Amino acid sequence: MSRPPLSVRRFLLRLFLCLLLCLAAAADRPAAAEPEEELLIGIEPEHNIFEQMERYRYLAGYLSGQLRVQVKLTIMSRYGEVIERFKSLRLDGAFLTSYTATMGINELNLEPVVNPVNLNGQSTSQGYILVRKDSGIRAVEQMRGKSIVFVDPATVEGYLFPLAYLEQHGITDSNSFFHRFSFAGSHASAIFAVLDGRADIGAAKDTVYNRLVHNDPSIGQELEIIAQSPKVPEITLCIRKEIDPELRARLAEVLLTMDKTADGRKVLEQFKALRFVKSSKADFDGVMKMEQEARAAWRNTENN
Amino acid sequence: MLTVLCVLAAGDLHAQKRIGVIMTGDVPYYGAMHEAFVSELNRRYAGGEKIEIILQKPFPDSISWSNAARKLIAFDVDLIVAYGSPAIQAVIHEKSRIPLVYAGLYEPDHEEVAGKYATGCGFKVPLTSIIRYFKQLKPLTTLGIVYSSIEEDSVRQYEAMKDVAEQQGIRVAKIDIRVHADLEQLKTAKADAIFITGSSLAHLWLADIMTILRKPQVPVADIFPDDAEAGVLMTLSQPPHIQGEMAAGMAAKILRGEKPAKILACTFRDTELVFNLVEARHMGIDFPIHLLIEATRVIE
């Protein structure tokens, strides 16, 4: 799949930067007395980053006020940047999808703190492998020679799961099995690529798929889900171990109890979540298992 | 009717094989398909047998299509290649035993093209995507659909798009183009957006259509690429060269003695999405960033 032209990408980058400046300013807000401590939290980009940043802006403002700590946000330019960003930007924490959270826990010894529960009552997501209903593709053997679109190498639902699924069916080399494979950059883009016929097969997460179908039911009528992954934590706030344990405990406490106060519920509504629930390292066992299952396919794809 | 003789591989004046080609109309989509066909055939026959191609680009109407088909049969060509449904149907209607390779056929499964002497390839474009993108650009109450009732595939695209639009509560304004004067309907259609089917007549007069729609700033979508950048806001199309190359492969097999019925027909579903930002600016349309990143190509 071709990428948009350089000028569009530059435009996007400029918008990112402007947005970040605005958000940093917004997060400064509670300041009757300016807090000195600061927490820099990273966010992985979603399809519509404007909408995403708006949601997180409210949360950052609320946390700043409750913790008396300046909570700043920074968006990572793509999935999987977590390791580099934690080092280069000295992030204190990040809202991470399950793959990057697993990497962060394993490689940086990050501590999973909480998961948001979405408006459907779920704190987990699962991967879907999708095709157009009129494609005639229903099983792996019919995928040979077709095109597949993944989301990003650092996603469970959009890459690790489809690789594990293919490997379970004896396919360990996407390069030779598919006519073409590509990365869409977001779950929604992967879904749109299949809808438009820009790819024959796509992988994406259920929460994004369900939201798109809710907004436009014709999407559900056109697509067929042919495989589903086990459920994994969708988003997890992970924090560096070096953060003051007292601040870490207060952060968890504020997030876990915010659905009990009127102000907290208002912010949750803007954040599009019902509440936060506690997270633990054991929640990521399923991701580790999938990673082992996909190992040969992953290696072959990386080598090409 | 325009007939062009094109000889591949120089040298011997007496070609050993002759291929007759009919385009439904002289439109760039079929032109690009044919260019890829010739190029692939040249590649396959480089240094080998001489191939002569007789190309016909009739004006899109029933009599011209029939005449073109009959002429090629009278030439006793070894193979006929036809691009687009009306030309294909005209060849089939003649019931000749000359093998036929078709390309540029919309949803081949929906047409009676399978037979002892025919094989080929076609395409399908998900029309719902066009409505989805239009709706993200502006409120869509009425969708104008440009088609031609004398072109069977264009009629099917009109009907499919009408069904999709009506399912979503969008009214449809029918714009049937049979003669140039029919373009006048565009001035009174009162559509929020226009969808152009793969009609040869519509594409023959695409520049005129765009001139009419530019003044009221009606955005246009097309399932053929707008390579000439006539001003179509978005195109969702199947790349024509892929079908041209596939048709050449099939033609080569048939010329070497393989039976058309033994060669599997195929339908291409891969598409390219192109947004014309120049036209969007002219219309005061702001493309949301999340929409722009979906594009295969953006015209700036």
Side-chain angles (χ1 to χ4, degrees):
Chain A
M1 184 180 304
S2 310
R3 290 167 65 83
L6 188 61
S7 54
V8 174
R9 296 205 299 272
R10 279 186 185 142
F11 175 61
L12 277 170
L13 186 64
R14 282 198 293 273
L15 277 173
F16 271 136
L17 294 173
C18 290
L19 201 65
L20 286 179
L21 286 173
C22 298
L23 286 163
D28 285 351
R29 235 185 307 127
E34 188 71 26
E36 285 178 8
E37 265 189 291
E38 186 181 295
L39 269 181
L40 183 60
I41 304 289
I43 306 170
E44 287 183 274
E46 292 173 3
H47 184 63
N48 187 338
I49 57 147
F50 297 98
E51 190 188 292
Q52 180 190 14
M53 289 305 276
E54 188 68 9
R55 285 168 46 223
Y56 276 90
R57 187 170 66 85
Y58 292 115
L59 186 66
Y62 179 79
L63 290 175
S64 296
Q66 294 291 314
L67 297 170
R68 311 288 303 152
V69 164
Q70 200 175 11
V71 177
K72 289 188 171 178
L73 300 173
T74 180
I75 198 153
M76 290 176 277
S77 61
R78 56 177 290 267
Y79 291 98
E81 251 203 334
V82 59
I83 303 297
E84 293 80 5
R85 279 289 181 136
F86 262 95
K87 289 174 185 163
S88 66
L89 286 181
R90 299 182 180 179
L91 288 181
D92 297 306
F95 284 93
L96 300 173
T97 52
S98 50
Y99 180 79
T100 46
T102 308
M103 275 198 324
I105 292 165
N106 289 341
E107 295 181 33
L108 299 171
N109 206 17
L110 297 181
E111 192 70 40
V113 182
V114 290
N115 310 113
V117 177
N118 68 23
L119 297 177
N120 294 324
Q122 295 173 304
S123 62
T124 56
S125 59
Q126 60 185 138
Y128 282 169
I129 295 178
L130 306 149
V131 293
R132 281 191 61 85
K133 276 186 181 158
D134 58 10
S135 68
I137 301 169
R138 293 295 179 270
V140 170
E141 54 269 27
Q142 291 153 339
M143 295 181 185
R144 185 181 293 280
K146 304 286 184 187
S147 58
I148 187 165
V149 59
F150 301 112
V151 176
D152 185 284
T155 55
V156 169
E157 305 91 332
Y159 191 54
L160 193 59
F161 161 59
L163 285 192
Y165 173 80
L166 289 167
E167 187 151 332
Q168 279 166 15
H169 290 81
I171 312 302
T172 55
D173 187 358
S174 296
N175 290 288
S176 57
F177 184 72
F178 293 105
H179 162 63
R180 189 180 69 230
F181 76 88
S182 56
F183 295 98
S186 77
H187 295 274
S189 285
I191 294 167
F192 287 129
V194 177
L195 275 169
D196 291 356
R198 286 177 279 127
D200 297 307
I201 305 135
K205 70 177 170 185
D206 65 336
T207 49
V208 175
Y209 172 84
N210 293 338
R211 194 180 68 232
L212 293 177
V213 170
H214 177 77
N215 293 338
D216 180 355
S218 73
I219 292 174
Q221 290 162 16
E222 288 175 54
L223 296 178
E224 183 85 29
I225 298 160
I226 57 174
Q228 300 180 21
S229 77
K231 291 185 175 180
V232 293
E234 185 177 16
I235 304 283
T236 307
L237 173 62
C238 294
I239 295 290
R240 275 196 303 126
K241 274 243 162 114
E242 295 75 17
I243 299 291
D244 173 17
E246 199 223 333
L247 177 58
R248 214 163 60 210
R250 270 199 296 143
L251 175 65
E253 180 67 14
V254 168
L255 288 165
L256 289 168
T257 57
M258 66 189 287
D259 61 316
K260 309 284 189 296
T261 68
D263 282 354
R265 281 194 294 272
K266 197 173 162 195
V267 172
L268 280 169
E269 195 183 326
Q270 285 154 334
F271 186 67
K272 294 187 178 163
L274 296 175
R275 60 186 173 279
F276 283 92
V277 292
K278 202 169 174 353
S279 174
S280 73
K281 286 184 181 174
D283 296 343
F284 298 89
D285 290 348
V287 180
M288 312 278 261
K289 187 168 173 272
M290 237 185 278
E291 198 177 3
Q292 282 163 4
E293 285 168 358
R295 197 156 282 170
W298 187 291
R299 211 172 27 243
N300 287 334
T301 312
E302 275 196 331
N303 288 340
N304 285 285
Chain B
M1 185 187 302
L2 177 66
T3 305
V4 177
L5 280 165
C6 166
V7 181
L8 300 173
D12 189 356
L13 289 174
H14 302 286
Q16 290 170 1
K17 297 284 183 196
R18 283 207 294 188
I19 300 177
V21 177
I22 313 177
M23 285 184 194
T24 287
D26 188 8
V27 296
Y29 189 65
Y30 298 130
M33 207 172 282
H34 183 62
E35 209 173 287
F37 173 82
V38 173
S39 166
E40 177 63 17
L41 209 60
N42 266 326
R43 195 185 66 77
R44 286 172 181 260
Y45 276 85
E49 205 170 8
K50 307 293 177 289
I51 306 286
E52 180 186 6
I53 292 181
I54 303 166
L55 172 63
Q56 304 220 52
K57 300 175 183 178
F59 183 83
D61 69 46
S62 310
I63 294 171
S64 303
W65 291 319
S66 281
N67 284 343
R70 284 173 191 163
K71 191 179 260 185
L72 293 181
I73 292 165
F75 276 147
D76 196 24
V77 293
D78 297 289
L79 171 74
I80 295 177
V81 175
Y83 304 117
S85 172
I88 295 161
Q89 292 304 341
V91 175
I92 290 172
H93 183 76
E94 295 304 320
K95 294 189 168 64
S96 149
R97 290 185 172 193
I98 298 173
L100 166 68
V101 171
Y102 57 82
L105 179 60
Y106 191 74
E107 288 187 306
D109 303 347
H110 289 70
E111 287 211 35
E112 289 181 11
V113 285
K116 209 171 164 184
Y117 303 107
T119 189
C121 56
F123 69 105
K124 190 181 176 191
V125 172
L127 303 180
T128 43
S129 291
I130 289 171
I131 291 195
R132 192 172 302 121
Y133 291 127
F134 265 144
K135 281 166 75 176
Q136 290 186 54
L137 294 176
K138 64 180 292 191
L140 190 56
T141 309
T142 305
L143 176 69
I145 306 178
V146 174
Y147 79 110
S148 177
S149 55
I150 59 167
E151 299 177 53
E152 199 274 342
D153 50 351
S154 170
V155 173
R156 270 188 294 117
Q157 289 158 23
Y158 161 76
E159 282 166 357
M161 187 57 118
K162 179 173 169 278
D163 287 348
V164 172
E166 288 178 352
Q167 273 170 24
Q168 299 190 29
I170 299 164
R171 278 197 300 273
V172 163
K174 182 177 176 176
I175 301 151
D176 182 9
I177 308 291
R178 296 166 67 98
V179 292
H180 192 271
D182 289 334
L183 299 185
E184 289 297 309
Q185 297 170 73
L186 289 163
K187 294 177 181 168
T188 53
K190 289 188 180 150
D192 302 304
I194 293 281
F195 164 63
I196 300 180
T197 62
S199 152
S200 291
L201 276 171
H203 287 87
L204 205 60
W205 298 321
L206 184 63
D208 298 334
I209 290 174
M210 297 315 302
T211 303
I212 295 170
L213 295 175
R214 193 162 284 130
K215 200 175 166 194
Q217 300 192 325
V218 181
V220 176
D222 196 339
I223 59 164
F224 282 178
D226 181 19
D227 290 334
E229 294 180 15
V232 177
L233 185 70
M234 69 171 131
T235 60
L236 184 65
S237 59
Q238 204 283 326
H241 67 274
I242 296 174
Q243 291 184 68
E245 286 164 10
M246 170 67 89
M250 291 172 164
K253 283 181 184 171
I254 292 168
L255 292 177
R256 288 181 179 129
E258 210 163 314
K259 301 282 180 212
K262 295 259 167 82
I263 301 171
L264 271 185
C266 85
T267 304
F268 290 101
R269 294 165 191 274
D270 53 323
T271 60
E272 287 182 351
L273 177 66
V274 178
F275 293 133
N276 187 331
L277 289 195
V278 178
E279 205 55 35
R281 266 194 294 277
H282 170 78
M283 292 181 178
I285 290 175
D286 261 340
F287 264 90
I289 298 297
H290 67 270
L291 198 59
L292 274 185
I293 58 175
E294 298 304 328
T296 315
R297 188 165 70 90
V298 173
I299 298 168
E300 292 186 275

